[in-house]
Structures are given as structure tokens and as C-alpha cells.
């Protein structure tokens, strides 16, 4: 079977039936099926998590384990209470690290179907959760429902399903089911829906906050109920905090930006073609950021990529989702910094994490993503350790004594109910030696003595507890156990994905290289108004220090509007008081390496030679027809090429100058008109302007006013006088230079 027809009824405005055709050889399905053509459900949504460790169920197949271990809340209070608000990561990683981790986590795994209640008793007199000493308080929790027809006997132990696709495929942006994916689409020009301010759409009939609720909108989590209206995204947890919502919004913007670029390159592509190709690019960008930036920043080094392997199972491991990848909870910051473009706190101020949970008004208040990205770029994340901030240990979704929860207790209990064995057994299952003494887990006396007094038996430590307590390995923020699990899981995700961007069957070699070298910083700069951000956003850097630590490798190409490279263009780059110049090489390429970013002023292309090249009587005829209204110009290029006297219009005066040039009466156009003019590559002429010469279109790159997306966009060249486009700079002798009687 080479093609799969997926038909889904999707109520768009209550009316439309959508049929989607997906080429399974070349494109991902929304639900992840048919990635592996030998096992079509491998890594797909609603398939079972991998069970790679021994089972820790009390009865061997279903009952909650760890019944002889201490109460989870007692463990939380004894080991994880953080007295200091800030225990910074000693490696200097920024808060981007944990936020990106959460975003990727929500692209990989979701096991949310509730099962039986599993309440966690709160010790009587608990300072935060039972301050009135009732002895009756409970931390609410439910078991994850088992996979269908599992957990019935020792020979059929309880399993769990992943409700979304396992692959790093941007399912957090697009969804893992066709109904959600279709609701998020505009079905125009390949783009996704947005609301005012280029934000995520709301769950309303128009996607705008002020309008009526759309009862067909996909489900979104709303733990606090602050508002019944909220953002809709590819993953239901997108509104959990404004930093996470900012990442969801960022990649919706990037998808739509890619659609604009693709539409220019492929004007005949349909909405479906634009959507699917942009989706490939976004998925590739997420993969490149994970493997080229994020994992290396944390010290997770994988073997070199050798290509797709159909025998690799990319699905999430139960121990990964139930314990190891919950590592971000120790990295969280209490305060969410909100900074303006100059690095100053915005007038609305910063906010606490506890006030941001499922609060859609946090982004509405600023009206922009920029303050959040600027804030986490300067903020160092918390250390990877057995300490967790009060915002999620004592105040999650509520105040003390009034519904407050404890994420630490829930994580411990989650491992028990998901059938994870003890920490030492997990290590043995991954081929690591068991620990015999508590000091081997961590030599820090404040850690191992508390472990000893809490558990007594080293073989009873809960896996999540041991993973956070374990001393970090050299060159990484993780202990040995988490590091090994991270390596195995992310290598499986890369090697077991037939559509991993480096081997994707549709992406061109140029697109793959562009994806590989596009950083998270680049994507932020493309889609926000931020003008200054460090190259590596996973390393925290104060705003005032960015200029001292940042250089720019500036490169691009100069091409005609017919995409022919233009060599020997003089590129003048001013940096501070200095001037750097070079001529474009073969292929129209220019490169300025390691330039001090904050000192850059302007890059100007210039070329003045052979004015008559490409200019013929055919151009005169074309201009005459335009002036007479017989055949008006149909492109901005013709207008610019026809204005040879620099008057910002095209008239008989321009014809006179061209005649003199062709006849040899003049050697140039006079009035300081160059032989070539240039347009910044990222610029698009508006369709509605009658005379584009009246526009202030960018003919050079001004670093003080241009957007970061313009830096590497290169330039488009226009030969003045050549309105019919006959010049061929790649083969000057082949240009049309014939002289017809004038």
C-alpha cells in the first residue's frame, strides 16, 4: 500500500466535512501511523508505552507498589524542601532549558486518562497543606488508566498508553488526531489559525477571546478554571504556564512564516501542499534544536547519526515518562522574569510561577511574547538536585490548606502506581551497577544522610527520588541513571524515525542544511520584535553582557529576481568606525566572519560597470508600451529597471537616456544612477501599490532598524534599463545586446 486515505469528519463552523489524503511514503500522518512501514503502529498515538524495567506492582501485575515505603508527602518534606528561593544551576544554563524541556515533553508523551482515585494522605499538622492540624487533608490524585485489556493477571501485567505520537514531529503544534489538527488550520495558504496579535487562537467561534465559546473546539486542560476561555494548541496542556504557551505560539508563527516563504518559492502550491511542507520544516527545526543545542547543553552526547533503522522502537519508555523525564520539576524558577527589549522589567512587573498556572491573562496582560523570552534568556535555571521550589511543592493550583498540591508527592506516587521498581533495580535494568551505600548516590552529607534516615534500606528508594539525588556525572547536569535513560530514549527517537529531517524523503539538501543550522535564537528573532538575544539561548546571559559575548557570522547571496547569481558585487560592511569590503564570489556568495554584533551598522551592495549590458531596443519598446498604457508593467522589477534617471517614475525622459546609451552617445545613465540596484532578499513588494518606486524599499541592510530575519536573506539585484530581463550575469556574452534601429 503506497497511499493511505484518511477520512475524518471535522465540524468546521459546524458544517464542513474534511477529507485528508496523506502520502505515507513521503509525509507523516497526523497520528504517527505508517512511520514504520513494517509495523504501522510503532510510535503512533494511543499505543502502549515500552516496559523496559522490571515490574514493581505490589501484586506483580496491577496493584500500586511501594506500600512499605514512606508516605510520599513525608519524603517530600524530608528531602525536597527548598529553604532558599534560588539554587542556581552551577553550569549556568538558562531557564530556556527547562521550558524547552517541558515543550518537548508535551510533544512526546501524554498519559492522562484518569483511573481509580489514589489520594495521598497529608501528615497531620503539615505546615503548608494541613496548617490547621485536621489530619484529614489529602493530596488529590488518580491512577493512570491501564491500556485496554491489560493488568488482569501476572501473565498480563498492567500497561499504559501514550495518547500522542512519540516522535519529535511537532505534534504539540499540530495535534495527534485529525479533528484537532483540522480545527487548528485556517485552510488558507497552508496556515494555522491565530488570534489578534498573532497569538494562539482561543476556543471560540472566531478564535478571538471576545467571542462565543466554540463547543467543537478541542479539549484543553484548565486545572484552575480562572477562565473558561483559553488558547487552543496541538497539545491540551499548552496553557499550563505562559512560558509554555509562548513556545506554542512561537512555532505557530514560524509555521505561518514558512508558508509565506514557500508560497513565494512555489506560487502554484495548494493550501495542503504548503501546510504539509511547512509542517515538515517545523518538525525538523524541533529535532535540530533538540539534538544540536538542547541535549548538548545539558551534557547529553549521542553517537553520530547513521540513518534510519526500522528495527528501533521510538515509543516512550514507561520509566522515562513516569520518572526520568520529570527531571524538569527540580529546574523550575520561582519567579518569571518579564523584561523589555532593553533588559528592563516591564511596567506590569515580574510574576511568580504559582500565579501563572493555567492563567491565560498572563500573556494578555503583556500583549506580547517578547518579555517572557527576554526574561528566561537572562535567568539561570535551578540546579538539578533533590530540591524543589514551593510553587510546585506546596502551592500548585491552590493556597496552603485550600487545595494546594505537591508535585513531588505526586511524582513519587506516580512511579509506584505505574509499576516502576525501586531505584537500584532500575539501574540494574539499564546495565548499571547497584549502589551498596547511600554515599555512593551522593557524597553530599546533606543528601545521603536524609536519604538514609528516610528510607533506611537503599533498595527501597523510589526511582524519581534516587534520580534527582544522584550526583551529576562530569560534563553533564544529570546523574548516571537519568543520563543513561535520556541517551537511550533520544537515540531511539532519532534513529527510529523514518522522517527524521536529515533523511526526510521530500526536504531538499539545502532545506536540511538550513534546518540543521537554524537555532532556537534564530526562530525567536524571526517571529518577535526582540532585537538583541545571545546566540546560545540555553546559556543564561545578562542583557548588558550580550554585546561582549556575541559575534555574527554574516553570509548571504546576491541574485537576480530570476535567481541567477551575481558575482563581483562590492559589499561594504560598516562596523563601528571600521569598513570591511569584499566582492561576491562565484555563486554571488559573501561571508563576513565573527563580526561584533552590536557594532554593526549597515551592509551596502554596489555594482557599477557595463551600463549597456542587457539594455536593448526591446527594452525601449517595452517602456513605450507601458507609457502608452498598451502593456503596463506587471512587476516592481520592471518599474525599478525602467527608472534610469532616478526620478521615481518611468517616462519618455528614461527612453531618451536609454537611446543615448545604446547609440554610444552616453556611457552611463547620468544623475548618479548606478548600473545595478538591489533589494533586501527578505523584502516583499506589496501587491496593492501602483508605483513601487514611491515605496521606501530596503536597498541595504541596516542593522539598527532591520529585523533579525533579514540578516542572512541576501539581496536581489536589478539591472537598470533592462526591463525585459534579458541580462544574464552568469553568461555575459549570452546577454541580448543586439541593436535594432531606433
Amino acid at each position: 500500500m503506497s497511499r493511505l486515505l484518511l477520512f475524518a469528519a471535522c465540524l468546521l463552523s459546524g458544517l464542513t466535512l474534511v477529507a485528508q489524503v496523506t502520502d505515507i511514503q513521503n509525509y507523516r500522518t497526523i497520528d504517527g501511523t505508517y512511520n514504520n512501514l513494517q509495523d504501522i503502529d510503532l510510535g503512533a498515538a494511543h499505543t502502549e508505552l515500552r516496559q523496559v524495567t522490571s515490574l514493581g506492582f505490589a501484586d506483580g501485575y496491577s496493584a500500586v507498589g511501594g506500600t512499605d515505603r514512606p508516605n510520599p508527602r513525608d519524603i517530600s518534606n524530608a528531602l525536597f524542601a527548598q529553604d532558599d528561593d534560588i539554587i542556581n544551576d552551577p553550569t549556568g544554563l538558562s531557564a530556556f532549558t527547562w521550558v524547552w524541556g517541558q515543550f518537548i515533553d508535551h510533544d512526546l508523551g501524554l498519559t492522562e486518562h484518569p483511573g481509580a482515585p489514589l489520594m495521598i494522605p497529608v501528615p497531620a499538622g503539615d505546615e503548608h497543606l494541613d496548617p490547621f492540624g485536621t489530619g484529614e487533608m489529602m493530596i488529590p490524585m488518580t491512577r493512570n488508566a491501564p491500556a485496554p485489556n491489560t493488568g488482569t493477571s501476572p501473565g498480563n501485567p498492567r500497561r499504559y498508553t501514550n495518547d500522542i505520537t512519540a516522535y519529535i514531529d511537532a505534534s504539540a503544534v499540530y495535534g495527534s488526531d485529525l479533528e484537532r489538527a483540522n480545527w487548528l488550520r485556517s485552510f488558507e495558504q497552508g496556515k494555522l489559525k491565530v488570534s489578534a496579535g498573532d497569538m494562539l487562537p482561543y476556543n471560540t467561534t472566531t478564535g478571538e477571546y471576545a467571542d462565543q465559546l466554540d463547543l467543537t473546539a478541542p479539549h484543553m486542560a484548565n486545572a484552575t478554571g480562572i477562565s473558561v476561555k483559553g488558547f487552543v494548541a496541538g497539545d491540551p496542556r499548552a496553557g499550563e504556564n505562559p512560558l509554555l504557551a509562548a513556545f506554542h505560539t512561537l512555532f505557530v508563527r514560524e509555521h505561518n512564516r514558512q508558508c509565506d516563504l514557500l508560497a513565494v518559492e512555489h506560487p502554484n502550491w495548494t493550501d495542503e501542499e504548503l501546510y504539509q511542507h511547512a509542517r515538515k520544516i517545523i518538525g525538523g527545526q524541533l529535532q535540530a534544536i533538540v539534538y544540536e543545542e538542547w541535549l548538548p547543553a545539558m551534557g547529553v552526547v549521542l553517537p553520530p547519526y547513521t540513518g534510519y533503522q526500522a528495527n528501533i522502537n521510538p515509543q516512550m519508555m514507561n520509566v522515562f515518562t513516569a520518572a526520568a523525564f520529570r527531571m524538569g520539576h527540580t529546574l523550575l524558577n520561582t519567579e518569571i522574569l518579564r523584561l523589555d527589549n532593553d533588559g528592563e522589567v516591564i511596567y506590569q512587573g515580574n510574576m511568580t510561577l504559582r500565579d501563572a498556572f493555567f492563567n491565560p491573562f498572563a500573556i494578555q496582560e503583556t500583549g506580547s511574547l517578547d518579555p517572557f523570552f527576554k526574561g528566561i534568556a537572562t535567568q539561570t535555571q535551578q540546579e538539578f538536585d533533590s530540591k524543589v521550589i514551593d510553587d510546585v511543592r506546596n502551592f500548585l493550583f491552590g493556597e496552603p490548606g485550600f487545595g494546594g498540591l505537591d508535585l513531588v508527592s505526586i511524582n513519587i506516587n506516580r512511579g509506584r502506581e505505574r509499576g516502576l521498581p525501586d531505584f537500584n533495580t532500575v539501574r540494574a535494568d539499564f546495565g548499571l551497577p547497584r549502589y551498596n551505600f547511600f554515599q555512593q548516590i551522593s557524597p553530599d552529607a546533606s543528601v545521603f544522610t536524609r536519604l538514609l534516615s528516610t528510607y533506611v534500606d537503599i533498595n527501597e528508594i523510589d526511582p524519581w527520588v534516587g534520580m534527582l539525588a544522584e550526583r551529576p556525572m562530569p560534563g553533564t547536569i544529570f546523574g548516571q541513571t537519568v543520563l543513561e535513560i535520556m541517551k537511550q530514549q533520544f537515540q531511539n527517537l532519532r534513529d527510529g524515525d523514518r522522517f527524521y529531517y536529515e533523511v526526510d524523503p521530500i526536504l531538499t539538501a539545502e532545506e536540511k542544511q538550513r534546518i540543521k543550522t537554524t537555532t532556537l535564537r534564530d526562530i525567536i528573532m524571526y517571529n518577535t520584535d526582540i532585537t538583541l538575544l545571545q546566540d546560545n539561548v540555553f546559556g543564561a546571559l545578562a542583557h548588558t553582557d550580550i554585546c561582549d559575548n556575541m559575534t555574527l557570522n554574516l553570509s548571504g547571496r546576491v541574485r537576480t529576481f530570476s535567481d541567477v547569481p551575481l558575482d563581483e558585487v562590492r559589499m561594504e560592511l560598516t562596523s563601528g568606525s571600521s569598513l570591511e569590503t569584499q566582492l561576491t564570489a562565484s555563486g554571488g556568495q559573501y561571508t563576513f566572519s565573527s563580526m561584533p554584533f552590536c557594532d554593526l551598522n549597515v551592509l551596502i551592495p554596489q555594482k557599477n560597470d557595463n551600463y549597456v549590458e542587457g539594455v536593448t531596443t526591446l527594452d525601449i519598446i517595452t517602456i513605450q508600451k507601458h507609457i502608452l498604457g498598451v502593456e503596463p508593467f506587471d512587476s516592481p522589477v520592471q518599474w525599478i529597471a525602467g527608472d534610469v534617471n532616478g526620478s521615481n517614475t518611468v517616462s519618455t525622459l528614461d527612453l531618451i537616456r536609454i537611446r543615448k546609451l545604446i547609440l554610444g552617445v552616453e556611457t552611463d545613465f547620468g544623475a548618479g544612477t548606478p548600473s545595478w540596484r538591489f533589494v533586501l532578499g527578505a523584502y516583499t513588494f506589496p501587491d496593492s501599490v501602483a508605483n513601487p518606486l514611491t515605496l521606501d524599499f530596503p536597498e541595504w541592510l541596516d542593522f539598527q532598524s532591520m529585523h533579525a530575519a533579514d540578516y542572512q536573506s541576501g539581496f536581489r539585484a536589478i539591472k537598470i534599463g533592462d526591463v525585459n530581463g534579458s541580462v544574464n550575469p552568469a553568461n555575459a556574452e549570452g546577454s541580448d545586446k543586439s541593436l535594432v534601429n531606433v
Side-chain angles (χ1 to χ4, degrees), residues 411-463:
N411 286 341
I412 294 169
N413 224 29
R414 183 65 67 204
R416 295 177 183 182
E417 76 94 1
R418 291 269 286 269
L420 297 184
D422 65 273
F423 177 54
N424 249 343
T425 300
V426 168
R427 284 181 55 81
D429 289 335
F430 278 89
L432 303 174
R434 289 177 174 271
Y435 288 125
N436 297 311
F437 307 102
F438 284 90
Q439 293 93 328
Q440 292 175 299
I441 299 174
S442 173
D444 185 338
S446 66
V447 175
F448 76 74
T449 55
R450 292 184 182 186
L451 280 173
L452 174 60
S453 61
T454 302
Y455 282 99
V456 182
D457 185 350
I458 198 170
N459 293 311
E460 287 296 320
I461 297 175
D462 288 283

Side-chain angles (χ1 to χ4, degrees), residues 275-552:
Y275 169 80
Q276 294 293 354
H277 202 87
R279 180 174 164 233
K280 276 185 176 292
I281 293 173
I282 300 304
Q285 288 176 340
L286 263 62
Q287 291 170 339
I289 293 168
V290 166
Y291 292 101
E292 303 292 336
E293 295 188 84
W294 182 65
L295 289 176
M298 298 184 296
V300 181
V301 180
L302 302 182
Y305 182 56
T306 58
Y308 171 60
Q309 300 177 50
N311 63 328
I312 297 291
N313 187 349
Q315 183 56 273
M316 299 296 99
M317 297 182 284
N318 186 36
V319 69
F320 180 81
T321 65
F325 209 44
R326 294 175 179 243
M327 52 87 174
H329 299 159
T330 181
L331 307 176
L332 303 176
N333 300 91
T334 294
E335 189 174 35
I336 295 178
L337 301 184
R338 300 192 293 184
L339 307 181
D340 63 21
N341 201 39
D342 296 322
E344 301 293 333
V345 177
I346 62 175
Y347 74 89
Q348 295 96 333
N350 299 323
M351 64 187 308
T352 61
L353 184 60
R354 73 187 67 169
D355 292 332
F357 284 119
F358 290 104
N359 182 359
F361 304 114
I363 288 183
Q364 287 183 14
E365 183 182 28
T366 64
S368 173
L369 309 180
D370 300 14
F372 297 100
F373 288 134
K374 283 290 290 186
I376 58 176
T378 68
Q379 189 175 26
T380 305
Q381 71 174 8
Q382 299 279 278
E383 184 174 7
F384 187 89
D385 58 11
S386 53
K387 300 295 178 186
V388 174
I389 59 174
D390 277 353
D391 295 68
V392 293
R393 207 185 69 81
N394 293 319
F395 294 94
L396 189 64
F397 309 147
E399 293 297 323
F402 298 95
L405 304 182
D406 176 11
L407 195 55
V408 169
S409 297
I410 292 172
N411 286 341
I412 294 169
N413 224 29
R414 183 65 67 204
R416 295 177 183 182
E417 76 94 1
R418 291 269 286 269
L420 297 184
D422 65 273
F423 177 54
N424 249 343
T425 300
V426 168
R427 284 181 55 81
D429 289 335
F430 278 89
L432 303 174
R434 289 177 174 271
Y435 288 125
N436 297 311
F437 307 102
F438 284 90
Q439 293 93 328
Q440 292 175 299
I441 299 174
S442 173
D444 185 338
S446 66
V447 175
F448 76 74
T449 55
R450 292 184 182 186
L451 280 173
L452 174 60
S453 61
T454 302
Y455 282 99
V456 182
D457 185 350
I458 198 170
N459 293 311
E460 287 296 320
I461 297 175
D462 288 283
W464 187 77
V465 174
M467 290 175 186
L468 267 61
E470 199 172 28
R471 63 178 169 185
M473 297 291 288
T476 178
I477 65 172
F478 301 125
Q480 187 182 40
T481 310
V482 172
L483 184 62
E484 182 60 30
I485 295 173
M486 290 280 287
K487 285 181 177 179
Q488 289 195 27
Q489 183 66 75
F490 280 98
Q491 186 171 348
N492 290 345
L493 284 166
R494 181 192 67 181
D495 298 352
D497 185 355
R498 185 165 62 89
F499 294 106
Y500 184 68
Y501 79 98
E502 293 192 66
V503 293
D504 187 278
I506 295 297
L507 294 172
T508 67
E510 183 178 357
E511 285 175 322
K512 291 173 182 177
Q513 181 60 26
R514 190 182 308 129
I515 288 170
K516 192 177 187 69
T517 57
T518 295
T519 65
L520 180 54
R521 174 194 180 273
D522 294 334
I523 295 171
I524 293 169
M525 299 294 276
Y526 291 153
N527 295 285
T528 68
D529 292 324
I530 295 173
T531 60
L532 190 61
L533 203 62
Q534 63 264 41
D535 291 331
N536 174 21
V537 296
F538 294 112
L541 198 62
H543 175 84
T544 54
D545 294 336
I546 294 177
C547 286
D548 295 333
N549 292 271
M550 185 173 173
T551 60
L552 179 66

